[in-house]
Amino acid sequence: MQVSLSDSISPPSTDQHLLVAFRFGADPNTASHPAVVDIALEPLGSGEIYECWWVAEPVRYRRNGNTRIAECSDYAVLVQEIDEGPGDDLTSLTQDAYRETFESLRSTNHSRMAKVWNYLGAINAGDGDDERYRKFSVGRASAFSEYALPDDAAPAGTGIGTRLQRGLTIVTLASRHPLLLAENPRQISAFQYPRQYGPSSPKFARGAAVLTGKHALHLLSGTASIVGHESLHPFDVEAQLEETLRNIAALGDSLSVLDGDSVHRVYMRESGDTDAIATELQERLAVRRDQIVFLRGDICRRELLIEIDGVRLQ
Ligand code: 3EB
């Protein structure tokens, strides 16, 4: 497997097949490859960017109900793109979308969820337990419970707000291979967050690794300036970046996610000094500038301004 960032879809060599391409751009794109998932996040500093996941084995693309599926011998990617009307209830939309994902997973060779990216419109709209992120979390937790997925088997995750007012895109990476899940010693497990963050805890692990026998795929969850369960340095992007890098480094003791080969998404609530952040990532964690994509996106807690996720092959 190979993960790369580029401004178009072009295979790194002729024997490579596209498992999934995350497209980040200002306007939705029209004609596209069956593996493309359009994410409504604007890249900072460029028009559109593709994060392409290439595999050496053939990929089969199909649809099961509302689920788009791309499957190869080592992995499956399942995509839910949920339209939301003004009267729809986000909790039940989320629960239904996850139900469909669990059902569709059964039609693949791959039973274990390794990572789920959740992108939802207006993530911070609504107050208290009516906040959309919290409603989303309740729907996800209900589906996990319905399908008997225990907290300690929750996949790595990302939860980010798009620039849309509504809607939900859920991308799941699953595999038949052994899966390691990692927690962060500096952070309480998200699935154990106290009640103050919502009626249902967010079901995700801090990191995951898929061991295919040929390679190890390390997946970093969206990581922010949270220590224990508290947000540190509210509304201070520089200090949040430092805390986030400490969190990533601490996770790195159990899961190796960062080095010259890793590819990262840096989500920022407001546009900021991306050069300075890239330099910091490079100096502290040896991440290459051309392997980082900066995206304008909302973080699930209002006081948080920056979140970083990523992937590394070993
Ligand atoms: C946090 O650590 C920050 O709800 O799937 C990060 C990664 C966050 C995944 C999710 C949320 C999610 O709590 C937010």
Side-chain angles (χ1 to χ4, degrees):
M1 184 184 270
Q2 233 172 296
V3 179
S4 60
L5 294 171
S6 53
D7 56 13
S8 64
I9 299 175
S10 51
S13 58
T14 48
D15 58 344
Q16 297 287 308
H17 307 272
L18 198 53
L19 180 65
V20 60
F22 295 87
R23 178 193 177 269
F24 305 105
D27 309 306
N29 91 339
T30 42
S32 61
H33 190 283
V36 173
V37 189
D38 208 47
I39 308 290
L41 296 174
E42 185 190 335
L44 297 171
S46 56
E48 66 173 351
I49 293 189
Y50 292 88
E51 187 190 284
C52 296
W53 295 50
W54 300 98
V55 292
E57 313 84 48
V59 180
R60 192 177 146 225
Y61 309 102
R62 66 181 195 280
R63 197 173 248 288
N64 183 51
N66 295 317
T67 314
R68 288 204 281 143
I69 303 173
E71 181 169 4
C72 64
S73 71
D74 291 331
Y75 300 98
V77 170
L78 296 90
V79 181
Q80 305 283 346
E81 291 160 312
I82 312 299
D83 282 331
E84 183 184 353
D88 284 334
D89 170 43
L90 183 59
T91 299
S92 40
L93 279 185
T94 304
Q95 186 171 355
D96 291 348
Y98 267 94
R99 260 193 204 120
E100 287 214 36
T101 296
F102 281 114
E103 291 295 332
S104 291
L105 207 51
R106 294 179 172 166
S107 76
T108 74
N109 263 325
H110 307 283
S111 60
R112 281 183 274 277
M113 285 183 172
K115 165 111 194 197
V116 184
W117 292 266
N118 303 279
Y119 292 105
L120 57 145
I123 194 168
N124 300 128
D127 289 320
D129 289 345
D130 285 331
E131 187 178 37
R132 283 171 57 82
Y133 174 64
R134 295 187 182 194
K135 291 185 170 177
F136 156 83
S137 287
V138 172
R140 173 174 56 183
S142 302
F144 276 38
S145 137
E146 198 179 321
Y147 283 82
L149 192 73
D151 285 355
D152 63 6
T158 289
I160 289 289
T162 66
R163 59 188 165 69
L164 305 178
Q165 287 314 298
R166 293 194 282 268
L168 181 59
T169 300
I170 303 174
V171 182
T172 301
L173 176 72
S175 180
R176 64 186 167 89
H177 294 293
L179 178 68
L180 301 178
L181 296 166
E183 289 303 309
N184 194 317
R186 302 185 85 230
Q187 301 183 297
I188 288 178
S189 294
F191 47 77
Q192 289 173 345
Y193 281 169
R195 173 65 180 86
Q196 70 197 82
Y197 300 101
S200 300
S201 60
K203 305 303 185 192
F204 69 94
R206 299 294 178 185
V210 180
L211 312 173
T212 68
K214 291 166 282 179
H215 64 255
L217 175 71
H218 295 256
L219 299 150
L220 172 65
S221 288
T223 304
S225 178
I226 294 174
V227 175
H229 58 77
E230 273 165 337
S231 303
L232 295 195
H233 325 293
F235 306 104
D236 177 345
V237 72
E238 280 93 15
Q240 286 187 17
L241 173 64
E242 294 309 311
E243 207 62 56
T244 300
L245 295 179
R246 281 192 280 276
N247 281 340
I248 294 173
L251 184 72
D253 296 342
S254 49
L255 184 86
S256 115
V257 278
L258 290 142
D259 72 354
D261 289 333
S262 55
V263 174
H264 295 271
R265 302 178 192 174
V266 177
Y267 306 99
M268 299 179 71
R269 189 179 288 278
E270 291 150 14
S271 51
D273 192 345
T274 54
D275 285 342
I277 295 168
T279 304
E280 198 69 12
L281 273 160
Q282 160 115 55
E283 285 175 358
R284 295 273 301 276
L285 301 162
V287 177
R288 282 170 40 187
R289 174 68 187 94
D290 60 357
Q291 313 239 90
I292 305 169
V293 55
F294 288 93
L295 300 164
R296 246 283 301 128
D298 293 333
I299 323 300
C300 59
R301 297 185 189 177
R302 292 169 198 196
E303 67 279 10
L304 294 177
L305 304 182
I306 188 164
E307 183 170 307
I308 300 176
D309 74 8
V311 56
R312 178 184 170 226
L313 279 145
Q314 198 178 39

